[in-house]
Amino acid sequence: MTASESALAVRRPFEVDNRLVLSIALPMMLAYLTTPLLGIVDTAVIGRLGDAALLGGLAAGAIVFDLVFATFNFLRTGTTGLVAQAFGREEPAEEQAVFWRALIVALGAGFVLAVAAPLVVWAGARFMAAEPAVTDAMTTYVAIRLLSAPFALSNYAILGYVLGRGESGFGLGLQLLLNLVNMTLSVVLGLWMGWGVAGVAWATVVAEAVAACIGLTLLILRFRRLPPLAPGALRNVAALKTMFALNRDIMIRSFVLLGAFALFARQGAQLGTLTLAANAVLMNFFLLSGYFLDGFATAAEQLAGRAVGARYRPAFMRAVQLTAFWGFAVSGLVSVLFLLTGDALVALMTTAPQVRAMAGDYLPWAALTAVTGVLAFQMDGVFMGSTWSRDLRNMMLLSFALFIAAMMTLPAQFGNAGLWMSLHLFLIGRGISLLAIMPVRARATFRD
């Protein structure tokens, strides 16, 4: 056994308890909650204009934008897993090297996306195949938002690094800064100045730039207090191969995930602009519940990755148990809250009477996504932190096949309710498939 292999085999025990889980999950839950709140503010700003086509265009634009940007979510999740494992091995130099590698990829990909904005806009319009008024609003939104690409992807790398170290307070500060600036400017530019969809998009560009500049400055100041990286650390061939293999699998997984959401929106558009607008409002409930759960998924990601790096199976199993417990507890409360207050939130997001009525009819379907999505979110965190990326990719493809089968049958029989049934089956399939293979992967990773 080589010296490096020997170092990897050293067990570094640490305790995982409720306090540790909550210390990571709760700050990030608060941070992530501001993201769907941003979506609610954006929807409310455009909804106040009273034009369903503009609301549908904003929803379609957000789907196209997310389909492109979430493809690069590996810059956050992959970085978190690799940093967490280096943290578990007590290798601060490798933690820093992982960040710089991710940032270089982020800047390169971001500039390519910004330059390719016209092509993305054209492809998005062809894919959504919505009504002309919806397409016009979507085109405006996507073309402007893509200018934020270098900053947005850099923020992924920055957040991935701090979460990998379990510094959820740092992550909370960055996300609050990003989303509060965004929400404020959305109201000012979109509503007060009358820029509409363009104002909402420009607000995001400015907010991403502010967060990236401040976050990067803080990390550079930190790194200057640490020993410099060894020559060639960023060109470590083995580390680069691991990063790119991990990023490839997570990119495929993320692309398929957003593809499912895009197909959901597209099918809603085929049912009419009213259905598209109502589902756009209701998807904010799904996003809001998802970000409640993402706090515990982040805790699972950091703790599972740290346990893998430390080669300490008891910490891994305890992290899985506690994040599942808290995830189900919170999801139940969130679903009840949505069922009780959902009509008021719908009224806040849109003034269009027909959109309000349809959204109210399908509110229970959106509220229950909190419960059916628990395992999907938690298992994603466990597998990403453990860098079991091939399984993430394969189980996502399997679940997507289930989703397509459901989409081909249920909407034809049940209309918009069938769309929501398909989404629930997709979430359940993701969670159960990953849970089923987790014991096998854990036995192979923690060889006592």
Side-chain angles (χ1 to χ4, degrees):
M1 180 181 291
T2 66
S4 61
E5 289 172 335
S6 221
L8 289 176
V10 173
R11 298 176 70 202
R12 297 173 173 84
F14 66 98
E15 183 179 354
V16 175
D17 55 19
N18 285 307
R19 182 175 180 179
L20 179 57
V21 169
L22 295 177
S23 72
I24 299 172
L26 293 182
M28 290 316 300
M29 184 189 299
L30 293 175
Y32 290 140
L33 278 173
T34 62
T35 299
L37 288 177
L38 169 63
I40 291 173
V41 169
D42 288 350
T43 302
V45 166
I46 302 304
R48 288 292 168 184
L49 301 177
D51 188 337
L54 291 179
L55 192 59
L58 176 66
I63 287 292
V64 172
F65 177 84
D66 289 343
L67 185 62
V68 174
F69 269 44
T71 301
F72 293 91
N73 195 44
F74 62 79
L75 291 167
R76 205 287 292 167
T77 55
T79 302
T80 297
L82 293 173
V83 170
Q85 291 186 19
F87 184 70
R89 296 193 303 268
E90 300 178 4
E91 296 179 355
E94 181 59 19
E95 295 171 25
Q96 184 183 162
V98 169
F99 167 73
W100 287 118
R101 294 180 196 122
L103 183 65
I104 291 169
V105 174
L107 290 172
F111 282 116
V112 169
L113 285 176
V115 171
L119 178 61
V120 175
V121 167
W122 174 81
R126 292 290 299 271
F127 176 78
M128 293 303 296
E131 297 177 1
V134 173
T135 299
D136 289 343
M138 181 202 72
T139 297
T140 298
Y141 181 80
V142 174
I144 295 172
R145 270 199 75 174
L146 278 174
L147 297 176
S148 71
F151 304 111
L153 298 187
S154 295
N155 283 325
Y156 287 176
I158 294 168
L159 185 61
Y161 170 80
V162 299
L163 293 184
R165 288 180 49 81
E167 296 174 350
S168 54
F170 195 153
L172 170 61
L174 289 176
Q175 290 299 106
L176 286 179
L177 173 67
L178 171 63
N179 291 322
L180 289 177
V181 170
N182 202 337
M183 284 187 278
T184 300
L185 291 179
S186 289
V187 174
V188 171
L189 299 179
L191 195 58
W192 293 356
M193 296 186 66
W195 292 8
V197 171
V200 169
W202 277 116
T204 303
V205 174
V206 175
E208 293 281 8
V210 169
C213 291
I214 292 178
L216 185 57
T217 298
L218 292 175
L219 288 188
I220 289 175
L221 291 174
R222 170 188 291 188
F223 294 153
R224 288 179 64 181
R225 297 193 297 268
L226 300 175
L229 292 177
L234 300 184
R235 299 189 301 274
N236 183 303
V237 175
L240 287 172
K241 285 183 178 179
T242 298
M243 183 186 76
F244 283 115
L246 174 65
N247 290 349
R248 177 201 62 213
D249 292 336
I250 295 179
M251 183 170 65
I252 294 171
R253 170 258 178 205
S254 298
F255 185 81
V256 174
L257 176 62
L258 267 295
F261 294 150
L263 287 174
F264 180 89
R266 186 181 188 278
Q267 187 63 34
Q270 302 309 303
L271 295 175
T273 299
L274 179 60
T275 301
L276 174 63
N279 284 349
V281 171
L282 291 176
M283 281 300 285
N284 285 298
F285 289 88
F286 170 66
L287 293 173
L288 192 58
S289 63
Y291 286 114
F292 269 107
L293 297 176
D294 247 340
F296 296 104
T298 298
E301 187 174 356
Q302 198 277 334
L303 294 172
R306 182 181 173 186
V308 168
R311 290 296 186 266
Y312 192 54
R313 181 173 182 148
F316 176 87
M317 297 308 300
R318 187 66 171 158
V320 172
Q321 293 164 2
L322 291 181
T323 53
F325 168 78
W326 284 107
F328 276 107
V330 169
S331 69
L333 292 175
V334 169
S335 290
V336 172
L337 179 65
F338 284 167
L339 290 171
L340 294 176
T341 65
D343 288 334
L345 289 174
V346 168
L348 178 65
M349 285 185 277
T350 178
T351 58
Q354 290 179 308
V355 176
R356 285 183 177 182
M358 177 171 281
D361 290 340
Y362 294 99
L363 175 62
W365 290 103
L368 291 175
T369 56
V371 176
T372 57
V374 173
L375 280 179
F377 281 86
Q378 187 225 7
M379 286 292 107
D380 270 1
V382 170
F383 277 68
M384 285 179 180
S386 304
T387 61
W388 298 333
S389 59
R390 182 176 299 178
D391 298 312
L392 269 176
R393 178 198 66 196
N394 292 344
M395 294 306 102
M396 177 61 74
L397 291 171
L398 179 63
S399 302
F400 185 69
L402 173 65
F403 178 68
I404 293 296
M407 289 280 285
M408 291 176 64
T409 55
L410 296 178
Q413 299 181 41
F414 303 104
N416 197 39
L419 285 180
W420 286 96
M421 292 178 196
S422 302
L423 180 61
H424 282 279
L425 288 173
F426 178 58
L427 294 173
I428 293 170
R430 285 172 54 203
I432 290 179
S433 61
L434 290 172
L435 179 63
I437 62 174
M438 186 193 71
V440 177
R441 298 295 173 258
R443 283 195 297 271
T445 300
F446 300 99
R447 293 192 178 98
D448 297 329

